[in-house]
Amino acid sequence: MRRTGVTVVGSGRVAGAFCRRLAESGETNLQILARNADAGRKIANETGAVFQHTPQALAPSAIYIIAVSDRAIREVSETLEPGDGLVVHTSGSCALDELSSRIARRGALYPLQTFGNTQNVDFEKVPLFIETEYAADFPELELFARRLSGSVSPCDSEQRQQMHVAAVFVCNFVNHLYAIGEQLMERNELDFGLLRPLIEQTAAQVAAGSPADLQTGPAVRGDRFIIERHLEALRHDPDWQRIYELLTKSIINTPKNG
Amino acid sequence: MRRTGVTVVGSGRVAGAFCRRLAESGETNLQILARNADAGRKIANETGAVFQHTPQALAPSAIYIIAVSDRAIREVSETLEPGDGLVVHTSGSCALDELSSRIARRGALYPLQTFGNTQNVDFEKVPLFIETEYAADFPELELFARRLSGSVSPCDSEQRQQMHVAAVFVCNFVNHLYAIGEQLMERNELDFGLLRPLIEQTAAQVAAGSPADLQTGPAVRGDRFIIERHLEALRHDPDWQRIYELLTKSIINTPKNG
């Protein structure tokens, strides 16, 4: 008998986002497996899914999405009995062999998005990157991914890893620079909100252009007069001073487009 | 006789943005003084301003906006004969005494925005920060600034300097991280456009929250397994590896909110 339905393993932000999108897309045969029963039940209640606390309790599914921390993927995948179901992880930095070799059909389904503030993510616009161990499994995963998002692309494990590094730069590190900006404002009795139009404009302008063409500021102008003033202004924050120096040097050393 | 009208000195992006906003707001008595005659005439044509190539040719104005590079402010201000007109510079990193001491009424009018891609900047939402040497001059500058933007705040030279450093972090450095992301994608035959939803979401979520609460990624999770994999993935790019290490360390060392 042909398997149907989807099992999502995990109860974190990525697992929750997949469950909500699956429910939205009309999936009625949805199971959640999670060690954290409170978090798992909460997602199950929101999405009409069936919550299970142990892998033994799971009914067979056509697709298993393992959305747990990278270090837990192997262990979790050892406990599943997916039979001929397709098992995918959602990690940017793990190859397919992070999934147990007991699993017959392995793949990856990587969402290139941050789910820190889940309520505002439009999952239909999240780029999904898919890979399967066997070419024969690819069409099934592609069809499934296209139910969830309008942007589905193939990528291999090496590309996925490099993309994950790129994501760390444009998301996690960018957010940290926002956090430094927030601290600089607040300690000078200035509201962080005053930086928001600048943050929005900086992000908005790369929607149409290449960031390499849009670089402004003292570093790209080679304005050492201002750079020295800024380093002096950061004299009480040696960590931020080092970040300022290193990023300034990197901007100066970046070849310009055209 | 009471002076009227505005003179903008400079022909760069900031000078152009001020001229366009002044024209939009109904200012008909507008002069532009610029060394670069082509750029100055172009802005004058767009805005109905009178272009002048030398300070001697200027008619008297009520307000002079010096929007030139920081290093040129002193020299330019030495050549002006503003009489009892109010002279402001637009620099984040210069104190008022960067303007010639010959000038009787000195101030600053700092726009906290990037004008790299000028056509898309909504000047009415640009936060303007104002300072005058004499308290008696403040109301005139405040009234003038409120004609241009809905966000006008007082700030002193030290606050302005710190804010400029914050702007470098959340704009110039952020754009450079986008540029690194672009290069990582392109060298792996992946389209930079695939990073755009992530860039947008990362910026959008700080519109409502504090970046300190929104930090995600391997560094804030203390996930050394992934951090080591990423550093290995950057082995051919020692500069980016150092940036990765330093920002990761800075995230780990940042105390969490709450």
Side-chain angles (χ1 to χ4, degrees):
Chain A
M1 202 185 89
R2 191 159 172 75
R3 286 162 173 257
T4 58
V6 183
T7 294
V8 173
V9 186
S11 60
R13 293 186 293 239
V14 176
F18 270 104
C19 286
R20 278 186 288 275
R21 179 66 190 131
L22 280 159
E24 237 179 52
S25 78
E27 180 60 58
T28 53
N29 187 351
L30 182 60
Q31 297 178 108
I32 299 173
L33 171 67
R35 285 187 208 176
N36 181 334
D38 288 346
R41 282 208 181 86
K42 190 163 175 288
I43 301 171
N45 287 341
E46 274 181 64
T47 58
V50 174
F51 170 74
Q52 297 294 1
H53 198 51
T54 65
Q56 292 75 28
L58 288 172
S61 285
I63 297 205
Y64 298 76
I65 302 175
I66 301 187
V68 300
S69 74
D70 290 17
R71 269 173 302 184
I73 291 173
R74 186 174 301 277
E75 195 190 327
V76 160
S77 67
E78 294 287 353
T79 68
L80 288 182
E81 297 291 349
D84 63 351
L86 185 58
V87 179
V88 297
H89 68 60
T90 59
S91 162
S93 284
C94 292
L96 298 189
D97 60 8
E98 199 72 22
L99 293 167
S100 167
S101 59
R102 292 171 47 258
I103 292 172
R105 300 172 66 212
R106 301 188 289 189
L109 173 61
Y110 173 56
L112 184 57
Q113 185 52 281
T114 181
F115 295 97
N117 189 358
T118 43
Q119 71 265 35
N120 293 319
V121 175
D122 181 357
F123 204 109
E124 242 190 299
K125 291 188 181 140
V126 174
L128 296 180
F129 293 88
I130 56 174
E131 180 184 13
T132 54
E133 186 172 10
Y134 301 108
D137 293 332
F138 192 85
E140 181 183 340
L141 184 56
E142 190 175 19
L143 203 65
F144 176 71
R146 289 200 187 284
R147 281 172 51 195
L148 307 180
S149 168
S151 169
V152 176
S153 314
C155 90
D156 63 29
S157 292
E158 171 65 17
Q159 284 176 310
R160 195 167 56 246
Q161 161 90 79
Q162 293 285 333
M163 192 155 39
H164 192 206
V165 176
V168 167
F169 276 87
V170 307
C171 169
N172 306 150
F173 290 168
V174 160
N175 187 73
H176 184 58
L177 298 184
Y178 296 159
I180 293 173
E182 182 180 40
Q183 287 187 63
L184 282 168
M185 294 294 276
E186 288 182 352
R187 69 164 64 167
N188 288 285
E189 289 162 22
L190 294 158
D191 178 13
F192 172 64
L194 294 164
L195 282 178
R196 290 199 172 108
L198 179 59
I199 286 172
E200 279 170 33
Q201 176 66 14
T202 303
Q205 67 190 6
V206 300
S210 160
D213 296 328
L214 290 163
Q215 190 64 51
T216 56
V220 76
R221 291 197 309 269
D223 190 338
R224 294 194 179 275
F225 174 76
I226 296 299
I227 292 166
E228 289 306 320
R229 285 196 175 184
H230 286 180
L231 289 173
E232 171 64 17
L234 291 169
R235 64 193 174 281
H236 301 305
D237 308 287
D239 284 357
W240 297 348
Q241 218 176 29
R242 269 192 293 275
I243 292 171
Y244 190 102
E245 275 179 319
L246 194 59
L247 288 172
T248 292
K249 194 179 137 217
S250 183
I251 292 171
I252 291 170
N253 291 340
T254 299
K256 282 168 195 150
N257 275 359
Chain B
M1 202 185 89
R2 190 158 172 77
R3 285 162 174 256
T4 58
V6 183
T7 294
V8 173
V9 186
S11 59
R13 292 186 293 237
V14 176
F18 271 104
C19 287
R20 278 187 289 273
R21 178 66 190 131
L22 281 158
E24 235 178 54
S25 77
E27 180 60 57
T28 54
N29 186 352
L30 182 60
Q31 297 178 105
I32 299 173
L33 171 66
R35 285 187 209 176
N36 181 333
D38 287 346
R41 282 207 181 86
K42 189 162 175 288
I43 300 172
N45 287 342
E46 274 180 64
T47 58
V50 174
F51 171 74
Q52 297 294 2
H53 198 51
T54 66
Q56 294 74 30
L58 288 172
S61 285
I63 297 204
Y64 297 77
I65 301 173
I66 302 188
V68 301
S69 73
D70 290 17
R71 269 173 301 185
I73 292 173
R74 187 174 300 279
E75 195 190 327
V76 161
S77 67
E78 294 286 353
T79 67
L80 289 181
E81 298 291 349
D84 62 352
L86 184 58
V87 180
V88 297
H89 69 60
T90 60
S91 162
S93 286
C94 292
L96 299 188
D97 61 7
E98 200 72 24
L99 294 167
S100 168
S101 58
R102 294 169 48 257
I103 293 172
R105 300 173 66 214
R106 302 188 288 191
L109 174 61
Y110 172 57
L112 183 57
Q113 187 50 284
T114 181
F115 295 98
N117 188 359
T118 43
Q119 70 265 34
N120 292 321
V121 175
D122 180 357
F123 204 110
E124 241 189 300
K125 292 188 181 142
V126 175
L128 296 179
F129 293 87
I130 57 175
E131 180 184 13
T132 55
E133 186 172 10
Y134 301 109
D137 293 333
F138 192 86
E140 181 182 341
L141 184 56
E142 190 176 18
L143 204 66
F144 176 71
R146 289 200 187 283
R147 281 172 51 196
L148 306 180
S149 168
S151 169
V152 176
S153 315
C155 90
D156 64 27
S157 292
E158 171 64 16
Q159 285 176 309
R160 195 167 56 247
Q161 162 88 81
Q162 293 285 333
M163 192 155 39
H164 192 207
V165 176
V168 168
F169 276 87
V170 307
C171 169
N172 305 149
F173 290 168
V174 160
N175 187 74
H176 184 57
L177 297 184
Y178 296 160
I180 293 173
E182 182 180 40
Q183 287 186 65
L184 281 168
M185 294 294 277
E186 288 181 352
R187 69 163 65 167
N188 288 285
E189 290 162 21
L190 294 158
D191 179 11
F192 172 64
L194 294 164
L195 282 178
R196 289 198 173 110
L198 179 59
I199 287 172
E200 278 171 33
Q201 175 67 13
T202 303
Q205 66 189 8
V206 299
S210 159
D213 297 328
L214 291 163
Q215 190 64 52
T216 57
V220 75
R221 291 197 309 269
D223 191 339
R224 294 194 180 277
F225 174 76
I226 296 298
I227 293 167
E228 289 306 319
R229 284 197 175 181
H230 286 180
L231 290 172
E232 170 65 17
L234 291 169
R235 65 194 173 280
H236 301 305
D237 308 286
D239 284 356
W240 296 349
Q241 219 176 28
R242 269 191 292 276
I243 292 171
Y244 190 102
E245 275 180 319
L246 194 59
L247 288 172
T248 292
K249 193 178 138 218
S250 183
I251 291 171
I252 291 170
N253 290 339
T254 299
K256 283 169 196 151
N257 275 359

